Amino acid sequence: MNKLPMRKFKALLSSTLTASLLAATAFGQAASTSTTKKEELVALEKFEVTGSRLRPADFESALPVNSYTAQAIALGTAESVNNFLRFMPSAFGSGNYDESFVNGGDGRAFIGLRGLPTLTLINGRRSATGDLNLVPMSAVDHIDILKDGNGAVYGADAVGGVINIVTKKKFEGVSFDASYQNTTKNDISRKRFEMVYGMGGPKGSVVLGIAFFQQHDLFSRDRNEVTETNDRSFGATSGIPNPGQFNLTAAQAASLFGATTSGQYRVKNDVVAAASPADFRIGIYGNVPAAQSDRFPYALYTPAVRPAKRYNVYSSMDYSIFDKTLKIYADVFYMRGYSQAGLAPSPAGFRAATPVGSANDFRIPASNYWVQRVFGAARASDITNWNYRFVDFGPRLIDTKFDDFALTTGFKGDITERVGYDVSYLWNRNESLEIERAGVN
């Protein structure tokens, strides 16, 4: 076997490694040179930073601003600005409402980041109501979210953060978007249709759009989970029931029933019309197991999803008169909405007052015909404190109709590379009408 001397082998290995390193270095230099030749300078367009008044393109905000483009939003299932925002982890607590919110809402949509006051802007400007539904999804170019409070710039209503909805400005062509949703039981449906049209040229552009949304109601009683359980737990019920109750003192209970215990007396469950004192018992209205409670269940009368209908019309235009020196612009938004809230039948408490027989005296006198008939003349006594829930009238319905109109117009331009001006006029008008039916005051 031929063997190379050790010294020659080391020299050969050393020369091989050196040659390889030189080749790799030369290759790296060639690649670097090639990459450098392909690099091109890109001029960034001017943009506004939500949460700052500074304009330079090289400005970097110290506050965390998340920006979501229309393309990124479209990757999800959100069909409105509200649907998109309410799934953010920070959208919790008070201040978060949408058109389905039953008790306390009016069919509008608002957001409160971490339950704190949150300012909603449209193209960097305030709206009269802050309703997220004023801008349809088809009009959105991107949404900027400032999750930290910025009261120094916007005031106390931005303690929780700022939501800036920026609409489309440079859009050409026509776009249609429609959706239909329903449950497997076909008892609720959501319909949505949106269209946007845009055209433009070197000096300006115009964007027009319309939108329609309709949602049908769903009552809690339409689900077996509610009607079968008939939930009477303390937190889901009221102490003012139907049938009503007599809140008797010990003296009144002794006179009417021959009892020695004060309490809230009601007719027994199997009694249709009371005919004697034996048809009554003391009601159970405390925090007891649901099966034993006589409390009134809200869920049998209230909606889980409220009906809503909404029409939107919007337009945006801009025109350059003197290149970048003078540009006029205008944004118009109009929304007409309808929503209906449902509450449990009205509860009412009636008390005695003096003088007897006055307008505020709601006692049931001992001389009342039914008191005499049920309890007898010998036992009859004034009932000075009693409650009743007006199930006879059905649930309370609150119809809300509202019209929102927002107009922004103005002119702006650049004086120098870093100095510009923007003069605008903002006009908002909001009208709402609430009609309550089947309510007792």
Side-chain angles (χ1 to χ4, degrees):
M1 178 179 296
N2 296 327
K3 294 184 179 180
L4 292 174
M6 181 61 66
R7 184 175 299 176
K8 291 184 178 180
F9 176 76
K10 291 182 178 180
L12 179 60
L13 178 60
S14 175
S15 60
T16 303
L17 290 174
T18 302
S20 299
L21 290 173
L22 291 175
T25 303
F27 176 78
Q29 291 176 349
S32 176
T33 303
S34 176
T35 304
T36 303
K37 291 181 180 180
K38 292 183 178 181
E39 288 181 353
E40 296 180 359
L41 295 177
V42 178
L44 296 177
E45 295 183 0
K46 292 182 178 179
F47 59 90
E48 295 181 359
V49 179
T50 300
S52 173
R53 300 297 190 191
L54 302 180
R55 293 191 58 204
D58 57 353
F59 172 76
E60 183 177 351
S61 174
L63 298 175
V65 179
N66 295 338
S67 185
Y68 301 89
T69 64
Q71 291 78 10
I73 297 173
L75 296 176
T77 59
E79 58 185 20
S80 67
V81 174
N82 170 64
N83 289 150
F84 171 72
L85 294 177
R86 69 175 181 169
F87 286 108
M88 294 191 307
S90 55
F92 65 89
S94 61
N96 292 279
Y97 307 101
D98 63 6
E99 59 274 356
S100 299
F101 195 80
V102 178
N103 193 351
D106 62 356
R108 300 178 183 274
F110 304 97
I111 187 171
L113 298 178
R114 299 178 300 281
L116 298 173
T118 301
L119 178 62
T120 299
L121 305 176
I122 300 177
N123 294 326
R125 293 176 173 83
R126 299 170 182 264
S127 64
T129 63
D131 190 350
L132 298 174
N133 290 328
L134 185 60
V135 182
M137 185 63 82
S138 59
V140 174
D141 179 78
H142 65 276
I143 300 176
D144 293 333
I145 303 175
L146 176 63
K147 296 182 179 180
D148 284 353
N150 197 7
V153 175
Y154 296 109
D157 51 354
V159 173
V162 181
I163 306 294
N164 186 23
I165 306 172
V166 182
T167 60
K168 294 177 179 177
K169 303 296 182 182
K170 304 295 183 181
F171 178 82
E172 296 186 11
V174 61
S175 172
F176 297 91
D177 190 10
S179 65
Y180 175 83
Q181 300 176 0
N182 209 332
T183 65
T184 55
K185 296 184 179 182
N186 294 319
D187 53 3
I188 180 176
S189 65
R190 293 166 62 99
K191 306 171 186 176
R192 182 181 64 92
F193 171 79
E194 298 184 5
M195 184 194 75
V196 59
Y197 170 76
M199 53 182 271
K203 298 182 71 66
S205 63
V206 176
V207 179
L208 303 171
I210 58 174
F212 169 77
F213 171 83
Q214 184 177 21
Q215 172 180 277
H216 292 287
D217 58 7
L218 173 67
F219 277 79
S220 302
R221 63 174 179 266
D222 295 331
R223 287 292 183 265
N224 294 333
E225 293 82 357
V226 175
T227 56
E228 289 179 359
T229 58
N230 191 12
D231 186 10
R232 291 178 183 268
S233 58
F234 192 82
T237 55
S238 168
I240 301 181
N242 180 278
Q245 58 197 189
F246 297 145
N247 305 313
L248 304 179
T249 63
Q252 292 170 335
S255 175
L256 295 171
F257 299 104
T260 59
T261 305
S262 63
Q264 298 172 306
Y265 286 78
R266 54 158 289 169
V267 296
K268 296 179 179 178
N269 294 344
D270 56 349
V271 174
V272 178
S276 70
D279 293 332
F280 290 81
R281 66 174 175 83
I282 295 180
I284 303 174
Y285 305 107
N287 192 1
V288 297
Q292 303 174 15
S293 178
D294 291 320
R295 296 177 65 85
F296 184 81
Y298 292 129
L300 296 182
Y301 297 89
T302 55
V305 178
R306 62 193 294 168
K309 184 181 291 187
R310 189 168 61 245
Y311 302 90
N312 293 78
V313 178
Y314 59 93
S315 175
S316 178
M317 64 82 62
D318 63 85
Y319 184 77
S320 178
I321 298 178
F322 299 114
D323 195 21
K324 296 182 179 181
T325 307
L326 178 60
K327 177 185 291 187
I328 59 174
Y329 61 90
D331 294 318
V332 180
F333 296 91
Y334 173 74
M335 176 179 65
R336 165 164 288 186
Y338 164 80
S339 182
Q340 184 185 82
L343 301 174
S346 295
F350 301 91
R351 307 292 182 265
T354 56
V356 176
S358 63
N360 295 324
D361 183 23
F362 292 100
R363 77 182 68 217
I364 303 176
S367 59
N368 181 275
Y369 171 79
W370 291 105
V371 174
Q372 293 278 331
R373 180 171 178 175
V374 174
F375 299 102
R379 287 188 171 184
S381 173
D382 287 356
I383 300 174
T384 57
N385 187 331
W386 55 286
N387 299 326
Y388 186 75
R389 185 172 289 272
F390 288 88
V391 175
D392 324 66
F393 295 168
R396 289 168 287 172
L397 300 177
I398 304 174
D399 297 311
T400 304
K401 300 178 182 180
F402 49 86
D403 292 270
D404 290 351
F405 186 87
L407 166 67
T408 302
T409 183
F411 55 92
K412 61 183 179 179
D414 295 336
I415 298 176
T416 66
E417 185 68 23
R418 291 178 175 267
V419 179
Y421 66 92
D422 189 341
V423 179
S424 63
Y425 172 76
L426 176 63
W427 185 76
N428 284 277
R429 183 183 180 91
N430 168 250
E431 295 182 353
S432 60
L433 174 65
E434 286 191 359
I435 302 174
E436 181 175 344
R437 296 178 285 146
V440 178
N441 295 321

